[in-house]
Amino acid sequence: LFFPRQIQNTHTGLDLSVPEYKEIHGKMMSGHVEYHIVVVTRLAAFKSAKHKPEDVVQFMVSKKYSEIEELYQKLAARYPQASLPLLPRKVLFVGESDICERRAMFNDIMKFISKDEDLATSPELLEFLGTKSTSAIDFKGKNIPDDKEKEDEENEALDFFKEETTPDLISQLSSVENAKKGEKKEEEEEEEEEEDLDPLGIIRY
């Protein structure tokens, strides 16, 4: 999206924030929390060919705790000199207050990353935010995400079986009809044979 606002971190050209989260409920009491990371940037890695150099774009990515933790560990290992804010602690059971606390801490971490020139342009972060830059190469050379390609293939397979279902059903019905006709024909032939019997009991062929 084009965004009219100014970049706060003019030296990095990137603003990151985590303003909200969403609870995703699964089956049988399962589920997880997705944290919405808002990206406001003028970095070329996040733009398409139609954008101008001065354009500011905004988008949002949703990430789970484990995904943010993975990025945090990668950045901490590669840039030990950067004193990243503390990562929220892991707990066995996550309550509403824990989720709110995590969102606030993730917000601090993302703001810190966007202010640091090394972290803001790191390959780890660009890949985390889903860019098509050289640091996060799309090996297939396609714009369709892997999940969508897989889904399309599954749909094609389903459509194939759906198409096959009707002719199979028709052929089954027609074979039943043919069997019935065959039985009827045999009965008729038996009747004809009975009529062809002569008085002496010898069948005329």
Side-chain angles (χ1 to χ4, degrees):
L1 297 174
F2 291 97
F3 206 64
R5 61 167 282 182
Q6 295 296 313
I7 298 286
Q8 292 178 3
N9 299 315
T10 52
H11 61 297
T12 62
L14 178 69
D15 291 346
L16 298 174
S17 60
V18 188
E20 60 182 10
Y21 62 85
K22 184 178 181 181
E23 294 183 53
I24 308 297
H25 298 287
K27 295 177 182 178
M28 300 296 290
M29 301 295 288
S30 65
H32 63 274
V33 179
E34 289 185 351
Y35 297 89
H36 296 169
I37 303 169
V38 175
V39 183
V40 182
T41 182
R42 55 173 168 74
L43 294 176
F46 297 99
K47 295 180 186 179
S48 64
K50 65 181 179 181
H51 290 123
K52 298 174 186 175
E54 67 273 13
D55 284 341
V56 175
V57 295
Q58 173 181 291
F59 61 94
M60 185 191 79
V61 293
S62 298
K63 298 291 182 179
K64 296 185 287 187
Y65 176 95
S66 57
E67 293 173 305
I68 299 173
E69 180 190 29
E70 185 183 356
L71 170 70
Y72 185 95
Q73 301 297 353
K74 285 180 179 178
L75 293 177
R78 184 167 178 179
Y79 306 96
Q81 75 281 4
S83 301
L84 287 163
L86 290 174
L87 188 72
R89 59 191 172 85
K90 281 186 175 179
V91 291
L92 189 59
F93 297 104
V94 182
E96 192 71 28
S97 59
D98 297 310
I99 296 171
C100 291
E101 184 184 348
R102 283 183 174 186
R103 185 212 61 79
M105 294 180 78
F106 285 149
N107 188 59
D108 292 340
I109 291 169
M110 291 300 160
K111 283 186 177 296
F112 182 90
I113 291 171
S114 62
K115 288 176 183 176
D116 188 291
E117 289 186 33
D118 291 332
L119 299 178
T121 54
S122 66
E124 291 83 2
L125 179 68
L126 297 180
E127 186 177 2
F128 175 79
L129 297 175
T131 68
K132 297 289 182 185
S133 68
T134 52
S135 57
I137 301 168
D138 181 7
F139 292 102
K140 293 187 178 179
K142 296 180 181 178
N143 293 325
I144 304 171
D146 290 345
D147 290 344
K148 182 164 175 55
E149 283 189 286
K150 191 176 178 184
E151 188 181 324
D152 288 344
E153 287 171 6
E154 287 173 358
N155 287 340
E156 283 175 14
L158 287 172
D159 289 343
F160 174 76
F161 286 119
K162 279 178 187 171
E163 287 170 9
E164 288 296 314
T165 305
T166 311
D168 284 349
L169 192 59
I170 291 169
S171 61
Q172 285 173 14
L173 289 172
S174 60
S175 63
V176 171
E177 286 295 322
N178 290 336
K180 285 181 180 177
K181 284 177 183 175
E183 288 172 9
K184 195 172 180 183
K185 195 173 180 183
E186 284 177 11
E187 288 172 7
E188 287 172 359
E189 285 175 359
E190 284 175 9
E191 287 173 8
E192 286 174 7
E193 285 178 2
E194 287 173 6
E195 289 172 5
D196 288 340
L197 291 174
D198 66 347
L200 298 176
I202 299 169
I203 298 171
R204 297 196 304 277
Y205 285 99

